Amino acid sequence: MLRTILLGPPGAGKGTQAAKIVEKYNVPHISTGDIFRENIKNGTELGKKAQEYMNKGELVPDDLVCEIATDRLLKDDCKNGFLLDGFPRTVYQAVKLDEFLRSHDMKLDVVFNIAVDKEILIERLTGRRVCKACGASFHVVNIPPKKEGICDVCGGELIQRADDTLETVENRINVYENETKPLIDYYEEAGNIANINGAEELDVVFANIVKAIG
Ligand code: AP5
Ligand code: MG
């Protein structure tokens, strides 16, 4: 049983670490960003709404996000835990999540605050490539795929995310500073935060997460 949140700026490595955590602890990976991208790909109404905000690096409105996240948390596979990646992202969302958890008799085990300096974030995001088919994440320099442009995991095509241009990345980092960073204090007060240095090599980051889970 593990109920956890990965908190961190864009490019901190939330998605990368999430893939490793869900494999080891066998809990579902819930990324609101991934849910929106899937909806954009499928041309749904939700996707159309979310895309407007995402392409500018702005946050999707709170109520829409909260509904999507809590609907997902009600699915059977979350009974034995979950890993939230990119949700909550505002104090409002965190309060809503707390209300939801309380009303379902659930408690968070730990919230990981993955910290990385801005220059590194920019370098990581502008060099990131993701698999169009399975979503696996690579980096042109740091984590290159075995074959350029091809996913190691499934053989799919690697593409650049629409919001990984320099201008949008800078806005996403500003939005993080203003809207999401206050959550560090929020969870510090709740007493269940674990600070992780996300600038280290990815296996080192993962080892520190595993240590904190205990
Ligand atoms: P979302 O998809 O959540 O994006 P994000 O938070 O901006 O974070 P990223 O996915 O860009 O970064 P990551 O931390 O997952 O890093 P990764 O592991 O890929 O959200 C996108 C948008 O959706 C938002 O802007 C918003 O519009 C909307 N949205 C989503 N949730 C919302 C919410 N709750 N409320 C409102 N709106 C919401 O790694 C990055 C790169 O670095 C990769 O290339 C990777 O290979 C590399 N890397 C990772 N770890 C390391 C390492 N240790 N060393 C070297 N390189 C590394
Ligand atoms: Mg991600």
Side-chain angles (χ1 to χ4, degrees):
M1 164 73 77
L2 176 69
R3 296 192 186 105
T4 186
I5 297 175
L6 297 185
L7 195 64
K14 301 182 296 295
T16 303
Q17 295 301 326
K20 295 170 82 71
I21 297 167
V22 299
E23 202 192 358
K24 184 171 171 72
Y25 296 93
N26 199 23
V27 288
H29 174 199
I30 304 178
S31 155
T32 38
D34 285 349
I35 295 174
F36 292 136
R37 278 184 290 278
E38 188 64 28
N39 276 274
I40 292 172
K41 196 164 93 185
N42 297 332
T44 68
E45 276 309 307
L46 172 66
K48 280 179 203 148
K49 270 190 217 159
Q51 191 168 28
E52 271 178 58
Y53 299 95
M54 290 173 80
N55 284 353
K56 289 186 282 193
E58 300 292 332
L59 295 183
V60 176
D62 278 338
D63 283 321
L64 190 60
V65 184
C66 288
E67 193 187 320
I68 302 296
T70 51
D71 277 357
R72 180 63 188 85
L73 285 168
L74 282 171
K75 297 240 165 83
D76 270 354
D77 62 345
C78 296
K79 291 225 156 64
N80 291 315
F82 51 77
L83 169 71
L84 287 168
D85 159 6
F87 177 88
R89 233 176 168 100
T90 62
V91 171
Y92 179 92
Q93 293 177 20
V95 170
K96 286 283 162 195
L97 175 65
D98 275 346
E99 283 170 15
F100 173 89
L101 294 174
R102 214 175 303 123
S103 67
H104 290 82
D105 250 331
M106 293 182 193
K107 255 204 175 119
L108 292 168
D109 296 303
V110 55
V111 175
F112 289 103
N113 170 36
I114 308 180
V116 178
D117 285 343
K118 187 172 174 180
E119 301 73 62
I120 301 178
L121 297 175
I122 292 175
E123 189 259 335
R124 281 188 185 176
L125 290 174
T126 52
R128 172 167 59 185
R129 297 295 180 270
V130 292
C131 176
K132 210 173 155 180
C134 76
S137 179
F138 299 86
H139 188 279
V140 285
V141 181
N142 302 342
I143 307 167
K146 291 196 187 89
K147 233 196 235 162
E148 198 187 318
I150 305 289
C151 175
D152 287 356
V153 181
C154 77
E157 182 196 348
L158 298 183
I159 55 163
Q160 186 166 29
R161 247 169 65 171
D163 59 352
D164 277 348
T165 60
L166 181 59
E167 198 191 344
T168 311
V169 163
E170 284 180 331
N171 192 40
R172 284 161 60 201
I173 295 172
N174 288 337
V175 168
Y176 166 82
E177 296 280 340
N178 296 328
E179 305 280 340
T180 311
K181 218 175 172 185
L183 288 183
I184 299 174
D185 284 343
Y186 181 91
Y187 286 114
E188 231 150 41
E189 267 167 45
N192 53 358
I193 207 154
N195 291 306
I196 299 286
N197 177 5
E200 292 191 90
E201 210 258 308
L202 76 92
D203 289 328
V204 176
V205 177
F206 182 59
N208 288 332
I209 288 176
V210 171
K211 214 187 285 168
I213 291 171

